[in-house]
Amino acid sequence: MDHLTVIETSNDLASMTADDIALANYEVLRRAGRKASTVNQYTQTEKRWAEFCATRNLNPLNFEVVYIDAFFQTLKDAYSRTTLQNMLSHLRKAVEAIAASSDDTAALYLRQLQAMRHYKIDASWGGMNSHKRGGKRLPTQTVYAALNASASNPLLKARNGAFYALLFFAGLRREELRQLKWAQVDFDRSVIKVVGGKKRAKDESDEIPMLGDLKTILQQWRDVQALSVQGENRVYVISAIRKGGHLAADKPIASGAVYELMRPYEAMPHDARHTLVTNLLEKNVPLHTTQKIARHKRGETTMGYAHAMEAEQLAKTVPNPYG
């Protein structure tokens, strides 16, 4: 693969530039309503592809499968299999964009696109990033920094406060938070009914207590939300807010937005859950109670947190055996 040479191309193909790719692809993404972060991911993949072609004196506008395979052979140990699959999808979209941009080269690129659709990322590929990162415990000051973070408008500040409170005080998983409805929040009983979730049937439910400041924060968010829509009943607890400071459609917040809200704290959504469970155990909350709050199907999962915390405490208290 290191000795690949440039395939002879037609004048029409050779006359296209990298800017033509970017322009055509940008137009496809714009029409599809893709957000800026998604467009950036596509751009990064195209940049890696262009760099790969430059080092091998290849035409970056030629997407023959033999070159696509050579490209991924250089990346298979550096990225997770999921990331590699996403990159392949990005390149397919680029070829689709070019095919749609010119009638003269459409046939060529449609043929290459068809071949790329049959190309698969090998199941054995994926380097050290392929393993899911375990949760990490966040400091208490980080938790309250998130809960009290400033925002560009009062509506956004109240929504974000509720978002972080559900993660840190209820330990909701990403999809549980996204799909949470006001009908599942019982302020009278101070409980939240979580429907479905990990390793549960879609209609299976658990009730969890509103710990800490969660109830107060949710009530404040409900009042602010109701005021912003003039009393209209909203279904979902956490939804998007437009740049102008107005509530978007009554539907779950996007998955990408969940990760973006955790990014300022260099954390993932699961880290909030990890922090909650670890703190409960550290405060000597019984194991079975912690398991119920965390909605762990198996007690061994909760025990894993306890063992990790015990090891952490030992590292702090046991003296140097050779000191």
Side-chain angles (χ1 to χ4, degrees), residues 21 30 46 50 68 99 111-112 149 177 192 195 208 254 311:
I21 294 181
R30 185 188 67 78
E46 291 164 7
I68 294 294
R111 178 182 62 77
Q112 292 186 353
L177 180 143
I192 293 175
V195 181
I208 57 174

Side-chain angles (χ1 to χ4, degrees), residues 177-192:
L177 180 143
R178 291 185 63 241
Q179 301 299 332
L180 184 66
K181 300 177 181 179
W182 283 115
Q184 297 167 235
V185 181
D186 189 335
F187 287 111
D188 293 333
R189 298 172 55 230
S190 299
V191 298
I192 293 175

Side-chain angles (χ1 to χ4, degrees), residues 27-67:
E27 184 63 18
V28 169
L29 294 171
R30 185 188 67 78
R31 291 179 181 178
R34 300 297 178 91
K35 59 184 180 180
S37 59
T38 302
V39 176
N40 182 60
Q41 291 173 5
Y42 278 77
T43 303
Q44 290 300 317
T45 299
E46 291 164 7
K47 181 179 178 181
R48 292 188 185 98
W49 168 251
E51 290 172 348
F52 165 81
C53 292
T55 59
R56 288 162 175 76
N57 196 30
L58 297 173
N59 187 341
L61 296 169
N62 194 326
F63 296 90
E64 293 290 345
V65 169
V66 63
Y67 301 129

Side-chain angles (χ1 to χ4, degrees), residues 40 45 53 67 121 155 182 199-200 224 257-258 278 282 320:
N40 182 60
T45 299
C53 292
Y67 301 129
I121 298 297
L155 187 66
W182 283 115
K199 296 182 179 179
R200 283 169 169 76
V224 171
V258 175
T278 306
E282 189 175 71
N320 182 352

